[in-house]
Structure formats: structure tokens, C-alpha cells
Amino acid sequence: MNINLQEKFAEQYHKKAEAIYFTPGRVNLIGEHIDYNGGLVMPCAISLGTWVAIAPNNDGKFRFKSLNFDIETAANSNTVNEKDGNIWANYPIGVINEFIKDGKEINGLDFLFYGNIPIGSGLSSSASIEIATAYALNVYYNLGYDKFELVKIAKRVENDFIGLNSGIMDQFAVTFGEKDKAIVLDCETLKYKMVDIDLGNYVLAIINTNKPRELADSKYNERVAECQAALKLLNEEITLHYLCELNAEKFALHSHLISDEILLNRATHVIKENDRVHLAAKALSGGDLTAFGRLMYASHESLRTLYEVSGKELDAIIDFCSGYKHVIGARMTGAGFGGCAIALVEKGCEEDFAKQLTDYYVAQIGYPAGIHISEIGGGPTTL
Ligand code: GLA
């Protein structure tokens, strides 16, 4: 972090911060839009993230300031159960609300946040700020929640307080991430395993479309509802809790139950994407990056044509990558509708890649993309 948060805290609140905590953002290597369908995902934490500095106050209020936003706000334990308009501070407010509902006595805290994850870029800035708050409160007050509980608290905030019917992947990834490892997470059972990421002669590039995200939340909730509708149709013949209980072969036996083409496409993406993650996990642990890269392209194609969550900006990036000989795999990452893509770029070619991609993207889209070579970072820490 190139910012002295302690100094900034003193400027804002005229006292010293008592503690500073960090929580990362994440990318998902493969397994998109299947966490809420009980599937397997493969995210990892990145070195970009959210820092929060805190100190107690004597007036019983929670004060929220951020170096990223001008809007600041305050709440007390009676008002944290309501959203404050549409502002960023609803994430920490929602977390405090959950802690208070759970009987925890927290009262009177000043917060200063700073994040370097581009907002709305699909790198989980919201899960990062949720877990940053939950982790900070848990450590500061010694509340004794384990990591699974923090993840579930943050997911409840996202689902019930913010109103996005998201799965558990983002909160899990930013909490359980470890340096240079991917998490292979079964979103139905929450069983997970950490897999070494050895990219050999390649680096992981994150490419931000820089597209302003519009209507992403309502489109996301629409996809969740479509999957539920497909599941309901399949349940006329078999008993399933999640679409990902079927593999492609078994799905073929029952897909006739889904006559609506859009629902059929959505379910086909989910089930085949889940199969791809199983293959990708094998490829990664066996060091077969070429196979892994092919699965990344296949994942993107399915998200583009069957799940329809890509867009011309993300597609322009993937089109460029597939024609550029020093990239072995690329795909959109996260919810889509803009946000970021990831690519495996041959070491030593990063500069040329950035230059050529920039030229191509500007010619297609009219403004530049953001290109960042990423490290696979660790989980939340106390600084
Ligand atoms: C968002 C959601 C996640 C997941 C992804 C798509 O990031 O928060 O739960 O559904 O989209 O894979």
C-alpha cells in the first residue's frame, strides 16, 4: 500500500488508529456462475485489497470514512439494521448489523477504509470490504468466530442486506486465500483444498474492461432465478438440490424437461462449466497449463454464448488473446457484464502484450483497458 493509513486516520479523526487490518480481493481462475448452483470453483486471492484502520470513540457511534469516496456516514446500534441509501458504507453497516443481531456487544468505533481494487471490476471489492470489517471486529473484540462463520456472515450481508443473491465464492476466496495457491471449493459442502499455482513460464494478467457497470445486480439476480427455474423443471423427474449434482452425461438424460431455450442454455453452461473445473483442477495439479488454458477459453465461450454474461468489451479482450501467440488461455472472471478478464501470458512478453492489447482494445472499444500483472496473495491479516 502506498498510503500511510495511520497518518490519514489521524488527519480524519485527530487521534491514533488502534489497529489496521487488510483483506484481499480475488480472481476466479475457472468455474463461473456455478457457486450458487452447488458447483466447484477455483478462485485465488490477489494482492490488491482493502485496508481498514479503527479506533474506539466515546459517543457510541459507528463512523465510516473512506479514502476512496467522499461520502461519509455514521450509524448507531439502533440504525445499523437499515441501509443508508445506496452508499458504499452499507457493506460495513450490514456486517455490524449481523454482529449485533448475533448478540455481540460492539459500540462506538471510528473506521477509515482504503482500497486499491478497482470498484465494480469483478475483483470482489464488496466481499473484500465485508470481510475486512468482519475480520477487524472479530480480532479487535476477540469474538472468537472462525473463518467459516465470518464467510457466512458476509454472505448474509450481501444476500439479505445488500440484496444480491450471490453465492459464497467471493467471501470464501478473500477469507481463505493463501499466497501462490488456488482454492478448489465445493460450494455445496464447503469442502475445499488448496492447490499450488505453478504457472511455469507464464504470469497471470488481470485486464479491466473499464466499462462502467450498469444493471449488473439485476442481471445477476435474473441468472440466479433462471437456474432455479431450470432446476425446478428437472425436479419433475429426478430429485436435485442443485444443478451441479448432474454431470453433462446425466444431464443429457433429463434435459428434454427444459423446453425453454434460454433456460436450457443456462443449465447447459452451469453443468459443463462444473465439469470443466474438475478437469482444470487436474490440469493445474499435473502442471498441464496448455490444457488449463484451453479450458479457460472454453469457459469464456460458454459464458458468452450460453450464459450471456459477457459483452463486447470482454469479448474484444478474449478475441485479442486467442490470436496472440504468447497467451495460452483467457476468460472473463467474476459476474461479467463488464469487469475483468484474466489471461496467462508468457513471461517476458508482458510489455508487448500490454501494448498490443491496448492498441487493439482502443480501436475496438474507444478507450483503454487497465492491464495489471497480478500476484496470488494471502488472506486477511492484522498489520
Ligand atoms: C459474483 C458473485 C459470486 C459468483 C460470481 C460468478 O462474483 O458474487 O458469488 O456467483 O459472480 O461466478
Side-chain angles (χ1 to χ4, degrees), residues 269 299-311 315 319 332:
H269 162 75
S299 166
H300 185 80
E301 190 54 18
S302 174
L303 289 157
R304 183 174 80 80
T305 55
L306 298 178
Y307 216 66
E308 296 182 278
V309 291
S310 185
D315 293 343
D319 284 349
M332 55 157 272

Side-chain angles (χ1 to χ4, degrees), residues 26 28 31-36 41 122 124 158 164-171 220 334-336:
R26 66 100 189 87
N28 186 20
E32 217 64 84
H33 282 280
I34 57 171
D35 59 345
Y36 50 86
V41 294
S124 290
E158 195 72 59
L164 187 76
N165 298 330
S166 57
I168 204 158
M169 172 172 75
D170 300 349
Q171 288 77 13
Y220 183 96

